[in-house]
Amino acid sequence: MTPTLRCLSLLCGLALFNTSDAVAQRWPQQSWWQMSPARLNPAVSANAYSLSATGFLRQQYNNLPGAPNTIGLTVASPIYRVNAGAAIAVERDRIGVQEVTQARASLALAVFKTDKLRVSAGFGASLKASRIDGDLLRTSNGDYGAGNVNHLDVLLPTGSISARTLGLDAGMAVSFGETQIGISALDVNAPSDEYDALVVQWPRTYLAFGTTTLPVNEVLDLQLSAIVQNDTRTTQSQVAAFGWYNGNIGAGAAFRGFGGASVDAASLLLGWRASPVLTFAYAYDIGLSELSDAHDGSHEISVRFELANPIGKGKLPPLIYNPRL
């Protein structure tokens, strides 16, 4: 094991095991969160136009051993008959000695609806399975020679330990024209991973986001977005501006930070709409925190598929102009 991985593993271990009850920020970072807002807000699906599926892969802090690696898939769809929506998601996040897999489901209902405005509320639940590989932890006075793993610390485990817990989510979303606004609370019940002699709590996480698209001219649209996340202990935010040229290729930038120690990265954003239903997006994060000296940035790839027409209506017939009518 490299010295960097030992350091990272020890830091992770200290964060988890320094007391019998620990709290840590647990929601993985994502630069292209606009591609799958249903991942962060259970109310969004009721305002969706049609069925969509978004997958993403993120390698954070590239070339830093033990750095976060996240993969996820979110599927959301409106339910037209009852002015509602539903979403399911699965996500796996690895960081240091820990791996967390989440399966989430949510239902949303449009509580107010006009031709131009929709307001929805939603609730969700997530099953979280966490695993810690204690053999990767290292202490300064432990015995690790000849294949032995002895941390000489009763709080640190050897081998793999696991835990499962259930989280509850709630949110509201507003959609009018090309603008979306949402607020949500994730893990409102503050669930806990209960290992043998350790309890690690998932903090309540509050999010607010907004996105809008402004036409600049006949060939250029400007997409603006912002998101703020708070886990009652720390606050993180991201603002982004992205331009779509001819509706199918685009570029932009984002900045993540809330001032002071929370400044994390500046992001280069690229996008390509291969067809009316398929969009590819890429983000490269340039680290701005003190940790940037130990890594080569972060990479993220997202793919979104969205049906061009509402479910059940099929492909609309072509419109034929007849001057005699």
Side-chain angles (χ1 to χ4, degrees):
M1 179 180 293
T2 65
T4 302
L5 181 54
R6 289 174 182 163
C7 179
L8 183 62
S9 298
L10 182 57
L11 289 175
C12 182
L14 290 174
L16 290 171
F17 298 105
N18 57 356
T19 64
S20 59
D21 296 280
V23 179
Q25 182 171 323
R26 310 294 292 278
W27 280 88
Q29 195 70 262
Q30 188 181 13
S31 296
W32 266 112
W33 62 268
Q34 308 92 327
M35 296 278 283
S36 55
R39 171 180 177 262
L40 302 175
N41 189 316
V44 169
S45 59
N47 298 341
Y49 174 71
S50 190
L51 173 72
S52 67
T54 305
F56 78 96
L57 171 64
R58 179 176 177 84
Q59 176 62 59
Q60 193 165 337
Y61 307 144
N62 194 42
N63 291 331
L64 179 63
N69 180 288
T70 311
I71 184 171
L73 173 67
T74 302
V75 180
S77 175
I79 306 173
Y80 303 109
R81 288 183 176 272
V82 290
N83 289 322
I88 57 174
V90 62
E91 190 170 293
R92 187 204 67 199
D93 182 55
R94 292 177 177 173
I95 175 172
V97 301
Q98 187 179 44
E99 176 180 311
V100 177
T101 300
Q102 297 189 60
R104 301 194 298 277
S106 63
L107 290 173
L109 179 67
V111 296
F112 181 80
K113 177 183 177 182
T114 67
D115 291 340
K116 298 182 178 181
L117 175 67
R118 290 178 67 94
V119 180
S120 62
F123 300 91
S126 62
L127 177 63
K128 310 170 190 294
S130 304
R131 185 179 68 87
I132 296 174
D133 190 346
D135 288 343
L136 295 180
L137 291 169
R138 292 294 183 268
T139 60
S140 59
N141 60 341
D143 179 12
Y144 306 107
N148 295 326
V149 177
N150 187 350
H151 306 306
L152 298 179
D153 188 324
V154 295
L155 290 179
L156 298 183
T158 57
S160 177
I161 59 174
S162 59
R164 290 180 175 85
T165 190
L166 182 69
L168 300 177
D169 309 325
M172 293 193 68
V174 179
S175 177
F176 52 98
E178 296 295 325
T179 300
Q180 292 189 62
I181 298 173
I183 57 173
S184 59
L186 308 179
D187 297 325
V188 293
N189 59 326
S192 298
D193 290 331
E194 297 184 3
Y195 300 95
D196 294 337
L198 171 73
V199 175
V200 181
Q201 187 179 52
W202 288 74
R204 298 179 181 90
T205 301
Y206 304 96
L207 296 106
F209 72 79
T211 67
T212 190
T213 301
L214 307 173
V216 178
N217 52 45
E218 293 183 355
V219 297
L220 182 63
D221 293 327
L222 181 63
Q223 179 181 334
L224 304 176
S225 62
I227 187 170
V228 178
Q229 173 179 325
N230 178 275
D231 65 357
T232 71
R233 301 176 66 185
T234 59
T235 299
Q236 185 64 275
S237 65
Q238 177 179 299
V239 294
F242 191 87
W244 283 105
Y245 178 76
N246 275 338
N248 66 347
I249 188 169
F255 175 80
R256 186 162 54 247
F258 199 72
S262 71
V263 172
D264 179 50
S267 303
L268 170 65
L269 307 176
L270 300 174
W272 174 45
R273 287 182 178 139
S275 73
V277 300
L278 189 61
T279 302
F280 296 90
Y282 169 77
Y284 177 73
D285 292 358
I286 304 170
L288 300 178
S289 67
E290 294 182 358
L291 189 60
S292 62
D293 295 335
H295 68 82
D296 296 330
S298 303
H299 299 275
E300 180 178 310
I301 299 174
S302 296
V303 181
R304 179 179 173 85
F305 173 83
E306 183 175 19
L307 291 180
N309 297 297
I311 300 173
K313 293 189 177 182
K315 184 176 181 179
L316 299 178
L319 179 64
I320 300 176
Y321 174 69
N322 189 337
R324 293 183 180 181
L325 296 178

